[in-house]
Amino acid sequence: MDKNISNVPDYKRIFNDMIQMKYPEKEKECQNILNKKELSSLDILNLNEKIFGTEDKETQIFNQSHRSYDKETVIEILEIQKKNNLNNSELARDLRMSRNTITKWKKIFAA
């Protein structure tokens, strides 16, 4: 097997194609994220929200319970918290997640 093949979808290409085919009016709004060399999980969530807008409450709750974050994204989130001087409650509210999750991440990655 080729070691260069990964199981991660090419989100950059997927979002570029989607914007070109169905949402050309949102291209400028999303371009700064799509110009990055690699997209983090946080970037993907931001793109999704910019293109499709916010979901209804029920869909939002369902989707939130099925999200997962890689190590780099968790560290990026914790850096955003530090940079913006947010407490766990404020960060959790902004990202629509549990304060306990933020606390757990801080114990694991900030140690």
Side-chain angles (χ1 to χ4, degrees):
M1 268 200 192
D2 188 7
K3 293 184 183 199
N4 292 334
I5 297 175
S6 86
N7 291 332
V8 179
D10 188 358
Y11 287 110
K12 200 174 196 177
R13 192 162 137 210
I14 292 169
F15 278 109
N16 270 323
D17 290 347
M18 197 179 328
I19 288 170
Q20 287 175 1
M21 291 179 196
K22 292 191 174 191
Y23 304 97
E25 70 277 1
K26 302 204 178 187
E27 185 173 6
K28 281 189 178 182
E29 187 179 348
C30 302
Q31 204 57 47
N32 61 339
I33 297 173
L34 290 170
N35 285 337
K36 292 183 177 181
K37 187 174 182 176
E38 287 186 28
L39 297 178
S40 69
S41 300
L42 211 51
D43 292 331
I44 294 166
L45 293 173
N46 287 335
L47 275 172
N48 204 41
E49 190 170 314
K50 285 182 181 190
I51 293 172
F52 301 111
T54 55
E55 310 133 340
D56 63 6
K57 192 73 170 170
E58 189 176 309
T59 307
Q60 206 172 49
I61 291 168
F62 175 79
N63 286 341
Q64 182 60 40
S65 66
H66 292 86
R67 284 188 182 165
S68 65
Y69 298 93
D70 58 353
K71 182 178 179 179
E72 292 80 23
T73 304
V74 172
I75 292 170
E76 181 182 346
I77 289 170
L78 294 176
E79 286 173 0
I80 290 170
Q81 179 185 25
K82 213 179 264 186
K83 185 177 100 178
N84 294 316
N85 201 22
L86 300 172
N87 62 35
N88 290 356
S89 297
E90 293 167 332
L91 184 64
R93 193 174 331 113
D94 288 347
L95 297 175
R96 296 187 286 288
M97 63 174 41
S98 166
R99 294 172 307 166
N100 293 332
T101 302
I102 305 293
T103 304
K104 181 180 173 184
W105 286 350
K106 287 175 86 170
K107 286 180 184 176
I108 294 170
F109 296 107

